[in-house]
C-alpha cells in the first residue's frame, strides 16, 4: 500500500466514524456536499477524491475538483456531463478516472484482456456478449423477485423502465422503455445457476470503445435468477411504476391494488380473478402480487403520493438484504472467434465471487478493490493520461487484473469449439 492520510466523508457521522475506526491514518468527516464551501475545503486537504456518491452527484464534485486541481476517481459510468468537465480537467493536468468498479469496471478489464489474447493469436472477433449480476447467494432467494436489495430499491426499479440498444447480426435492436422485463431470456452458459438475462443500456458504443470493429453482434446485459423479470413485469403491468401524483392518504395496499385493477370495492376473490385476466392466466405473476403483500390491508406509508414511491417503500421494508446473509457476483463474457483456418470457437471468461456471511459482501469486494487499486495507481504516478481516463489501455488493465488476482478475484477461461452435426 501507500503511506497516506485518508479522509472518510459522509453526511452520516456515525457511518464515517465507524469506517474510519477500522483503518490506520483515517479521519472521519461529517460533510454535506451541497455546502460548496465545506466541500471545497475538504477537497483542498487531499490529493485525490474518490466519489462513491449516487452517479447524479458526481458532476458537482468533479467541478470542485477541477477548480481545486485535484484528481478524482469514481466507479460509475462517465456521463456526457462528466466528460465535459474532464476536458477542462485535462487542461489543468488532472486525472478524472471513471468506470473502475465491477460493472462498469472489472467487465472492461476482463474483456480487453480476452480480446488481446484472441488478437495475438490472429483470431477475428465476430461476436461479443457480456452479462453481469449482483445477486443474493442461492440459499437466500426465496421471494418472488429472487432478489434482495443492497441499497434503496428505486435505482433497480428505474433500471427496469430504461431503454436498451444492442447489435445483433449487424442490425441495431432497440428495446423501448417498459419492455425490458418482457425481453428476458434464459441464460444457459453457467447451467448450475438458474439464471435469465436481458440487455442493459446502449451496447452499440462498445464496438468502437473496445476496438472490436469486426463484431456483428455486441450485447451487454444483466443477470438475474429466473423469475425476476416475470415478477417485475407483473408490478409494471399492474401500474405500480406510475409516478403520477395522487392523494393516497388512508389507503391500504389492498385498496391501492384493487383501484389499479379498476375498482376499489372488489372482493378479494374478484381481485384475484382480475389479476389472472390481466396476467393472461400466469399464476407466477398473480402469486407475486400476493406474496409481496400487495393484497394485504396494511396501510401505505403516510408520506407517499404516488404508486412508485409506495412500491419503493414496500420493497425497502421487506426485501433489503439483512445482516448475516451473503451475495454472489456472476460475470460472463462470451466471444465468438474465427481462426485463420476458418474454424470457429467461443472463448469465455467467467467470474464468480461469493460474499462472506459475516464479512465483506461480494459487491463490496468487486467494486471496492478495483477502486482502491486505481487510487493506488494514481497516487503512485502510474496513470499517464490526463482528463477522462477509462480502464481500456493495456498499461491500466493489465496491472489491475494482476492485483485483483492477488486479492482472489480471478476469472476462469474456457474455449468451446463449434460442434458439427455428423
Amino acid at each position: 500500500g501507500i503511506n497516506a492520510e485518508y479522509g472518510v466523508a459522509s453526511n452520516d457521522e456515525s457511518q464515517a466514524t465507524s469506517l474510519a475506526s477500522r483503518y490506520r491514518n483515517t479521519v472521519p468527516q461529517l460533510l454535506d456536499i451541497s455546502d460548496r464551501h465545506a466541500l471545497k475545503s475538504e477537497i483542498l486537504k487531499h490529493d485525490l477524491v474518490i466519489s462513491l456518491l449516487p452517479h447524479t452527484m458526481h458532476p458537482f464534485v468533479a467541478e470542485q475538483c477541477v477548480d481545486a486541481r485535484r484528481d478524482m476517481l469514481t466507479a460509475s459510468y462517465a456521463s456526457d456531463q462528466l466528460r465535459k468537465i474532464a476536458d477542462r480537467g485535462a487542461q489543468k493536468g488532472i486525472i478524472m478516472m471513471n468506470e473502475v468498479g465491477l460493472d462498469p469496471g472489472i467487465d472492461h478489464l476482463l474483456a480487453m484482456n480476452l480480446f488481446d489474447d484472441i488478437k495475438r493469436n490472429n483470431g477475428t472477433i465476430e461476436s461479443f456478449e457480456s452479462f453481469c449480476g449482483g445477486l443474493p447467494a442461492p440459499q437466500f432467494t426465496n421471494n418472488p423477485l429472487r432478489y434482495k436489495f443492497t441499497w434503496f430499491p428505486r435505482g433497480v426499479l428505474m433500471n427496469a423502465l430504461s431503454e436498451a440498444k444492442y447489435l445483433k447480426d449487424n442490425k441495431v435492436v432497440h428495446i423501448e422503455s417498459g419492455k425490458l422485463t418482457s425481453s428476458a431470456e434464459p441464460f444457459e452458459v453457467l447451467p448450475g445457476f438458474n439464471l435469465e438475462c436481458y440487455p442493459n443500456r446502449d451496447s452499440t458504443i462498445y464496438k468502437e470503445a473496445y476496438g472490436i470493429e469486426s463484431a456483428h453482434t455486441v450485447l451487454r446485459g444483466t443477470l438475474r435468477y429466473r423469475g425476476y423479470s416475470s415478477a417485475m413485469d407483473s408490478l409494471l403491468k399492474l401500474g405500480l411504476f406510475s409516478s403520477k401524483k395522487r392523494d393516497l392518504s388512508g389507503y391500504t395496499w389492498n385498496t391501492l391494488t384493487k383501484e389499479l385493477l379498476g375498482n376499489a370495492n372488489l372482493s378479494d376473490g374478484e381481485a384475484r380473478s382480475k389479476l389472472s385476466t390481466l396476467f393472461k392466466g400466469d399464476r407466477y405473476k398473480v402469486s407475486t402480487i400476493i406474496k409481496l403483500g400487495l393484497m394485504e390491508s396494511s396501510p401505505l406509508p403516510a408520506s407517499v403520493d404516488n404508486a412508485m414511491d409506495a412500491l419503493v417503500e414496500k420493497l425497502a421494508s421487506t426485501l433489503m438484504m439483512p445482516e448475516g446473509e451473503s451475495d454472489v457476483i456472476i460475470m460472463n463474457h462470451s466471444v465468438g472467434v474465427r481462426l485463420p483456418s476458418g474454424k470457429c470457437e467461443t472463448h469465455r471468461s467467467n467470474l464468480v465471487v461469493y460474499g462472506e456471511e459475516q464479512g465483506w459482501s461480494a459487491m463490496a469486494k468487486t467494486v471496492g478493490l478495483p477502486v482502491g487499486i486505481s487510487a493506488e495507481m494514481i497516487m503512485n504516478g502510474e496513470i499517464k493520461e490526463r482528463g477522462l481516463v477509462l480502464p481500456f489501455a493495456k498499461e491500466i488493465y493489465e496491472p489491475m487484473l494482476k492485483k485483483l488476482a492477488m486479492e482472489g478475484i480471478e476469472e476462469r477461461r474456457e474455449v468451446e469449439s463449434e460442434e458439427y452435426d455428423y
Side-chain angles (χ1 to χ4, degrees), residues 8-17 19 28-32 53:
V8 178
S10 173
N11 62 351
D12 178 342
E13 195 166 15
S14 62
Q15 184 188 55
T17 306
L19 262 176
Q29 180 66 43
L30 179 66
L31 180 66
D32 173 0
L53 294 163

Side-chain angles (χ1 to χ4, degrees), residues 355-416:
E356 303 143 29
E357 288 191 22
Q358 300 301 330
W360 294 116
S361 67
M363 185 64 80
K365 285 192 277 193
T366 52
V367 175
L369 285 168
V371 166
I373 290 165
S374 305
E376 193 172 61
M377 289 173 76
I378 292 172
M379 295 294 283
N380 286 340
E382 292 170 54
I383 309 288
K384 304 302 177 202
E385 294 175 65
R386 291 296 178 265
L388 180 77
V389 180
L390 301 176
F392 294 165
K394 196 183 186 91
E395 51 274 17
I396 295 177
Y397 65 77
E398 262 195 351
M400 283 187 75
L401 283 171
K402 281 193 181 118
K403 288 175 183 174
L404 283 167
M406 287 162 69
E407 299 286 350
I409 294 178
E410 199 166 12
E411 64 178 342
R412 291 177 76 91
R413 290 269 189 100
E414 359 176 281
V415 178
E416 209 171 274

Side-chain angles (χ1 to χ4, degrees), residues 20-39:
S21 67
R22 298 184 208 173
Y23 305 100
R24 290 182 301 113
N25 303 342
T26 306
V27 180
Q29 180 66 43
L30 179 66
L31 180 66
D32 173 0
I33 68 143
S34 63
D35 181 342
R36 200 179 287 264
H37 180 74
L39 177 62

Side-chain angles (χ1 to χ4, degrees), residues 77 83 165 202-211 218 220:
Y77 283 105
R83 286 169 189 264
K165 199 160 69 165
D202 181 2
S203 299
T204 62
I205 60 170
Y206 288 95
K207 189 167 176 169
E208 188 184 335
Y210 283 164
V218 179
R220 280 164 49 96

Side-chain angles (χ1 to χ4, degrees), residues 2 27 30 71 79 85 103 114 169 204 228 237 245 262 275 279 282 321 342 345 350 384 415-416:
I2 44 181
V27 180
L30 179 66
D71 296 332
S79 64
I85 299 166
D103 174 3
L114 185 53
D169 300 325
T204 62
Y228 173 87
K237 286 199 165 65
K245 291 212 180 313
L275 283 170
F279 302 141
D282 187 324
M321 188 174 289
E345 292 179 338
N350 296 320
K384 304 302 177 202
V415 178
E416 209 171 274

